[in-house]
């Protein structure tokens, strides 16, 4: 391994940066989930944190919105109960993908409102993470 490291075949920084880009873009994972994956793969926390700076708050929110919009197409939103149930499912999906509660709830609330929900229908948003 030392020899591989000397010739540049083992590069945790490059691996972490590539992993972050790939998992965020193609799998739709948030920072938290990607950080856990990198930790499980043995990447040093400092290297992982540096690689995760490639995902800014706006791109994380945009990716969460894409996931919600795509999933919302197949969920019922005709009645208040359906919208509330769909919102819970969407927030849960984003949480499982590593998005914080503030991002998940904010994006879901905006998209459910665009689908016809009233402003106060889903309650108050949790604090930003």
């Amino acid at each position: 391994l030392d020899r591989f490291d000397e010739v540049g075949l083992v590069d945790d920084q490059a691996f972490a940066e590539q992993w972050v880009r790939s998992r965020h873009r193609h799998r739709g994972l948030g920072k938290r989930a990607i950080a856990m994956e990198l930790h499980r793969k043995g990447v040093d926390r400092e290297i992982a944190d540096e690689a995760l700076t490639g995902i800014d708050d706006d791109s994380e929110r945009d990716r969460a919105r894409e996931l919600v919009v795509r999933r919302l197409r197949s969920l019922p939103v005709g009645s208040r109960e359906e919208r509330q149930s769909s919102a819970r499912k969407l927030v849960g999906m984003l949480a499982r993908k590593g998005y914080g509660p503030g991002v998940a709830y904010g994006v879901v609330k905006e998209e459910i409102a665009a689908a016809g929900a009233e402003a106060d229908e889903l309650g108050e948003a949790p604090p930003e993470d």
Side-chain angles (χ1 to χ4, degrees):
L1 285 177
D2 290 336
R3 178 69 180 133
F4 287 158
D5 193 31
E6 286 175 26
V7 295
L9 294 176
V10 176
D11 186 351
D12 283 351
Q13 184 66 41
F15 168 77
E17 290 171 1
Q18 181 275 331
W19 190 263
V20 167
R21 281 191 308 272
S22 172
R23 302 300 274 178
H24 183 64
R25 184 178 310 126
H26 300 293
R27 294 284 313 255
L29 298 182
K31 287 182 182 180
R32 291 178 182 185
I34 297 170
M36 290 298 297
E37 287 184 349
L38 289 172
H39 175 71
R40 281 193 301 266
K41 293 195 169 295
V43 174
D44 190 50
R45 182 184 175 109
E46 292 155 3
I47 293 173
D49 289 345
E50 188 175 326
L52 286 166
T53 61
I55 302 174
D56 62 12
D57 293 341
D58 290 337
S59 68
E60 188 171 38
R61 185 174 290 277
D62 290 344
R63 188 64 177 115
R65 185 176 317 283
E66 291 171 11
L67 293 168
V68 167
V69 167
R70 186 174 64 215
R71 179 75 171 101
L72 190 57
R73 289 184 211 137
S74 65
L75 293 173
V77 292
S79 69
R80 179 181 182 99
E81 292 78 23
E82 288 175 335
R83 288 189 294 271
Q84 289 174 337
S85 175
S86 294
R88 283 190 301 275
K89 289 176 185 177
L90 291 168
V91 169
M93 173 196 68
L94 291 177
R96 287 185 299 277
K97 287 188 169 282
Y99 292 91
V103 171
Y105 190 82
V107 167
V108 169
K109 188 171 182 175
E110 290 169 9
E111 292 305 317
I112 292 284
E118 296 176 18
D120 65 341
E121 195 169 296
L122 300 178
E124 291 297 316
E128 285 294 318
D129 6 84

